[in-house]
Amino acid sequence: MKKSKFQLLMVILVYFFIFAPLLLIAMTSFTEESYISFPPHGFSLRWYEKVFSTKSFLESFKLSFTISIGATLIALLVGIPGAYAVSRFQFKGKRLIKDLFFSPNLIPQVVVGFALFTFIIVRLRLNVTVALLTGLTVSVVTYAFRTVGAGIDRFDYAIEEAAMSLGANRVTVFFKIVLPNISSAILS
């Protein structure tokens, strides 16, 4: 019993140290003053109004949103068939492909980002937007591969076999049977 109370206390302290600064920043963002003071004096939305009326912020937000949607779509277009192939078929290099899709998660994102920056921008001299899209896609495709792969692994292969034994080809089975059943993995 003592151990569980101690663990609970430690969990509460960890969460406090993680969320207290965020809560403090959120509370002080509603102040009228141009500096951080606690407790906040007055209530104002002027800082939010200033941010959302700044042209450079809106352009950056639009670019970030566009790149993130594009990277997600590309990652899904690569991750879904890749995860399906690795899950359902036996071929040479299967282990290598799995390791390749998991390796970026073993390397800190700062290192991956710097390597991508050096290669894509400095070596290839690509446009910054294309470079950001490529870098984010490389980062996100590993997550798409893992989550979709987990969904496919949980999906019973016997259902696919039953559909194929009833005359459906592999493409029809993939689009009409597999995709709807792994939609929660795709959405995550």
Side-chain angles (χ1 to χ4, degrees):
M1 191 70 170
K2 274 188 174 183
K3 188 175 181 181
S4 65
K5 285 184 180 182
F6 177 73
Q7 287 175 340
L8 178 64
L9 177 66
M10 293 308 292
V11 167
I12 290 171
L13 284 174
V14 166
Y15 277 116
F16 176 77
F17 282 113
I18 290 173
F19 290 112
L22 297 174
L23 184 63
L24 181 70
I25 290 169
M27 288 172 58
T28 57
S29 71
F30 292 106
T31 187
E32 295 174 341
E33 299 163 349
S34 58
Y35 54 89
I36 294 177
S37 64
F38 196 81
H41 300 289
F43 179 82
S44 174
L45 295 174
R46 92 175 202 193
W47 300 115
Y48 291 96
E49 179 184 328
K50 188 170 182 105
V51 164
F52 289 111
S53 64
T54 306
K55 185 178 179 185
S56 62
F57 172 79
L58 294 174
E59 288 172 358
S60 300
F61 180 79
K62 182 181 173 187
L63 178 65
S64 295
F65 187 75
T66 305
I67 288 173
S68 64
I69 293 295
T72 301
L73 292 176
I74 293 169
L76 287 174
L77 287 174
V78 172
I80 293 171
Y84 184 76
V86 167
S87 178
R88 294 295 190 239
F89 302 112
Q90 295 299 324
F91 53 90
K92 273 188 176 179
K94 178 178 176 176
R95 184 76 210 153
L96 178 67
I97 289 174
K98 271 188 165 181
D99 292 343
L100 224 115
F101 274 102
F102 289 119
S103 65
N105 295 325
L106 301 175
I107 303 166
Q109 290 295 320
V110 173
V111 175
V112 173
F114 182 73
L116 286 171
F117 170 77
T118 304
F119 182 71
I120 294 172
I121 301 246
V122 176
R123 287 268 176 141
L124 298 179
R125 299 176 193 255
L126 291 178
N127 180 332
V128 174
T129 305
V130 174
L132 287 171
L133 180 65
T134 305
L136 188 59
T137 301
V138 166
S139 179
V140 173
V141 75
T142 60
Y143 296 104
F145 186 84
R146 280 195 304 184
T147 55
V148 171
I152 291 171
D153 287 341
R154 283 193 321 260
F155 182 63
D156 189 10
Y157 185 65
I159 297 171
E160 291 178 63
E161 287 179 330
M164 285 187 279
S165 71
L166 292 171
N169 63 18
R170 192 168 281 285
V171 174
T172 303
V173 168
F174 181 75
F175 284 106
K176 293 198 175 192
I177 307 291
V178 176
L179 276 182
N181 282 293
I182 63 166
S183 60
S184 61
I186 293 170
L187 288 175
S188 69

